[in-house]
Amino acid sequence: QVQLQESGPGLVKPSETLSLTCNVSGGSISSGGHYWGWIRQPPGKGLEWIGYIYYHGHTYYNPSLTSQYRLSVDTSKNQFSLKVSSVTAADTAVYYCARGQLGGDNADYYFDDWGQGTLVTVSS
Amino acid sequence: EIVLTQSPGTVSLSPGERATLSCRASQSVSNNYLAWYQQKPGQAPRLLMYGASSRATGVPDRFSGSGSVTDFSLTISRLEPEDFAVYYCQQYGRSPLTFGGGTKVEIK
């Protein structure tokens, strides 16, 4: 089990870029075997997967979302990050980072460890 | 993408009662690659089940998962006070992974 901790601004203005970082402790991102993901939850609503990244930089994004999302990884700091460009009020949500566990052959991932989440509000 | 529909939206039960939550998929979920999460107010989701019926580490055995193909269930045999929460299913058998809309288990 690893510990994940999100950090970033609680308030972002519309049209700006939101930047969030997830610090991982208790295990190394570089050890491989896991993807590292972001999931968000608008207030009072359900969970929406944004994307995930492997330690060598391979990314996969939710194709249902627009192209405003970018993931990156910094193995030297054992952390990974999410950037959301041109934010609107619809991007107001709690953002969670999580560790993805491969479900099996030809499968996608489920999430076995989660950060506590960080609330981001988009407002002028 | 596979759409997951959870029912009921809310269920009101008393401690000690049995809870059965449903998760129905719009397409077959390969190899029963379905997970369940529990979320309490102000907390992150917690993995309960994966592979439809395997309990995650530390999950009490009053939680059980079953089902296959498109119909899955999470059963809580006897509700404890700490079990009142929202439960989400997630399929990972086909990309993109998707979540259901959640079922809230509230105290009657």
Side-chain angles (χ1 to χ4, degrees), chain A residues 68-86:
Chain A
Q68 64 181 129
Y69 305 91
R70 285 294 179 266
L71 271 64
S72 60
V73 62
D74 187 338
T75 55
S76 67
K77 296 181 179 179
N78 214 37
Q79 61 186 206
F80 59 105
S81 299
L82 169 69
K83 288 187 186 299
V84 186
S85 60
S86 304

Side-chain angles (χ1 to χ4, degrees), chain A residues 41 64 96 103 108-109 111 115, chain B residues 1 37 39 44 88 90 92 95:
Chain A
Q41 185 172 37
S64 298
Y96 296 100
D108 211 311
Y109 289 78
F111 300 99
Chain B
E1 70 178 42
Y37 301 87
Q39 186 178 34
Y88 294 94
Q90 178 225 326
Y92 52 96
S95 295

Side-chain angles (χ1 to χ4, degrees), chain B residues 5-50:
Chain B
T5 302
Q6 292 188 241
S7 60
T10 301
V11 60
S12 300
L13 295 167
S14 300
E17 289 193 295
R18 182 185 186 92
T20 302
L21 285 56
S22 171
C23 177
R24 179 163 291 178
S26 61
Q27 304 171 48
S28 174
V29 178
S30 303
N31 295 305
N32 298 333
Y33 286 153
L34 189 107
W36 288 93
Y37 301 87
Q38 175 193 65
Q39 186 178 34
K40 299 179 182 179
Q43 296 186 19
R46 168 199 178 196
L47 177 68
L48 292 179
M49 313 290 298
Y50 60 95

Side-chain angles (χ1 to χ4, degrees), chain B residues 61-82:
Chain B
D61 60 8
R62 63 180 181 273
F63 290 90
S64 62
S66 64
S68 63
V69 189
T70 59
D71 290 293
F72 299 88
S73 295
L74 175 71
T75 299
I76 310 170
S77 59
R78 288 177 56 85
L79 284 163
E80 297 288 340
E82 61 267 28

